[in-house]
Amino acid sequence: MTIKKVTPLGGLSWYVKWISSLVIIVGMIMSSLNIYPFNLYVHLLGVAGWLWVGFLWHDRALILLNAIAVVIFALGIGNYYLGPDIIMLP
C-alpha cells in the first residue's frame, strides 16, 4: 500500500512550512532554557509562518490554531512589557 502525499512539495508554502517548523523548535528549546521573553518572539514568528501557510492552503484548522497561538504569544509579549494588567480577569 502506498501513501499519497496531499501537501504541496516545493513552492513558497513548502519553504515557509519547514522554516516555521524549525523556528518553533528553536522557540521550544529557548523555552526549556528559560530564555524569556525572546522565546515568545521566536514562537510568534513560527506560528505566524504557519498561519500564512494555513491561508495559502485554505486549511481552516491551521488558520484557527495558529491565529489563536499568535494572539497568545502577543499577549505574553504585551504582558512582559505592560505588566499583568493587560488582561483584566475578575
Side-chain angles (χ1 to χ4, degrees), residues 78-90:
N79 186 52
Y80 178 78
Y81 290 107
L82 301 175
D85 294 332
I86 190 171
I87 303 175
M88 299 296 210
L89 296 176

Side-chain angles (χ1 to χ4, degrees), residues 4-87:
K4 182 181 175 193
K5 287 180 51 99
V6 294
T7 57
L9 178 62
L12 179 64
S13 67
W14 187 87
Y15 290 103
V16 174
K17 149 182 113 164
W18 282 106
I19 291 169
S20 297
S21 295
L22 292 173
V23 168
I24 290 172
I25 291 169
V26 170
M28 289 188 284
I29 292 168
M30 292 173 77
S31 292
S32 70
L33 297 174
N34 201 25
I35 302 174
Y36 181 79
F38 303 109
N39 62 327
L40 298 176
Y41 289 107
V42 173
H43 274 107
L44 181 64
L45 182 63
V47 296
W50 266 105
L51 178 61
W52 188 22
V53 171
F55 280 114
L56 291 173
W57 290 355
H58 306 285
D59 188 319
R60 291 186 196 112
L62 285 178
I63 293 168
L64 176 67
L65 174 69
N66 290 292
I68 291 170
V70 164
V71 171
I72 289 169
F73 288 119
L75 285 172
I77 292 167
N79 186 52
Y80 178 78
Y81 290 107
L82 301 175
D85 294 332
I86 190 171
I87 303 175

